[in-house]
Amino acid sequence: MAADKLRHVYREAREISGLERAPVLSLSSIGSVSTYLLPRVLQEFVSGPNGYHLSFHLHHSYEAYRHVESGMTDLAIISDDMFFRETVTTPLFREPFVLACGAAWNGAGPVSPKELDPRREVRLSWNPEFDIWHGRWFDAAASPIVCLDQMSLMEEFLTGENFAVVPLTVARRLRRGEIRVFPLRDGPEDRMIYSVTRPASPRREMMAHFLSLLRRELSGIDGVEPFLGPLP
């Protein structure tokens, strides 16, 4: 019995040791990309023949830059382009914003911001350019029905005549039938998404593989413009 326990402990120790030696990519992303675009990409990354493992974290753009610069994260996907001395920022893709609204909303697209009641808005702050556009079209005195910074809650509020202005990659994964999607007239400036890495990262091969899977996913989405230049 004692010998069996020893063999079991020995096998567990070997398995743990093997996991520690496995190639691990430390990846972070903003919530909208991780929730609505990355699930299939992440699954493909860890289930492929390369034996890659993944450590994933949810970070806002500024936080992601700090983690990449410090070496805690290998690759980050962000929406707010910043300058940090020890990082490289590379455009990944560009996408338009569209209107997502509850099933009771009775408009038809393309929709102008003039047609929208700001008191029915599910408000999210996507990037500084979006906030500038929002301030130009919506009365600051009219409070939205809810302000959110968590993607997972948005769909719960898109009922009745409520609406949200969202990136295309988000809209395409919303519940069809319960949420309607329309193009926008005079909408926000297209959203740019970037990758952030460190120069000469030792995990460049893993990063290149992950980004190739992401770009393949993007190539199948009408309306999204992937940037297919050299990998960072």
Side-chain angles (χ1 to χ4, degrees), residues 17-26 45-46 49-55 74 202-203 205-206:
S17 177
L19 285 175
E20 290 173 348
R21 291 195 301 269
V24 179
L25 178 67
S26 179
F45 181 80
V46 298
N50 298 308
Y52 291 155
H53 290 227
L54 184 68
S55 175
D74 300 312
R203 296 178 178 83
E205 182 179 331
M206 281 191 288

Side-chain angles (χ1 to χ4, degrees), residues 117-185:
D117 181 354
R119 296 168 299 179
R120 308 304 305 176
E121 183 185 15
V122 179
R123 172 82 160 93
L124 297 103
S125 180
W126 298 104
N127 56 33
E129 294 79 15
F130 177 88
D131 291 337
I132 292 171
W133 170 86
H134 192 276
R136 188 165 60 244
W137 284 98
F138 295 97
D139 185 352
S143 298
I145 193 166
V146 62
C147 292
L148 299 174
D149 68 356
Q150 293 294 324
M151 300 300 104
S152 58
L153 293 175
M154 181 179 64
E155 294 183 53
E156 303 305 319
F157 289 97
L158 285 178
T159 59
E161 297 183 356
N162 295 347
F163 73 90
V165 177
V166 302
L168 178 61
T169 53
V170 172
R172 65 188 286 270
R173 294 290 298 273
L174 298 177
R175 298 187 299 256
R176 298 301 181 187
E178 301 176 42
I179 297 173
R180 305 171 71 193
V181 176
F182 298 98
L184 279 168
R185 185 188 308 118

Side-chain angles (χ1 to χ4, degrees), residues 60-67 78 80 82 84:
H60 293 295
S61 294
Y62 179 78
E63 186 181 16
Y65 267 101
R66 295 294 298 270
H67 278 73
I78 56 96
D80 297 345
M82 305 175 191
F84 280 70

Side-chain angles (χ1 to χ4, degrees), residues 81-94:
D81 184 12
M82 305 175 191
F83 173 77
F84 280 70
R85 187 179 302 275
E86 301 299 325
T87 65
V88 177
T89 304
T90 306
L92 282 180
F93 65 93
R94 182 199 310 271

Side-chain angles (χ1 to χ4, degrees), residues 26-113:
S26 179
L27 173 71
S28 76
S29 173
I30 56 174
S32 59
V33 173
S34 65
T35 301
Y36 296 100
L37 181 62
L38 291 187
R40 185 162 61 182
V41 176
L42 298 178
Q43 179 61 33
E44 285 187 86
F45 181 80
V46 298
S47 62
N50 298 308
Y52 291 155
H53 290 227
L54 184 68
S55 175
F56 180 81
H57 303 276
L58 190 67
H59 290 145
H60 293 295
S61 294
Y62 179 78
E63 186 181 16
Y65 267 101
R66 295 294 298 270
H67 278 73
V68 172
E69 186 178 50
S70 68
M72 296 172 63
T73 298
D74 300 312
L75 170 66
I77 299 175
I78 56 96
S79 59
D80 297 345
D81 184 12
M82 305 175 191
F83 173 77
F84 280 70
R85 187 179 302 275
E86 301 299 325
T87 65
V88 177
T89 304
T90 306
L92 282 180
F93 65 93
R94 182 199 310 271
E95 62 178 329
F97 284 88
V98 297
L99 180 72
C101 51
W105 199 82
N106 59 5
V111 179
S112 168

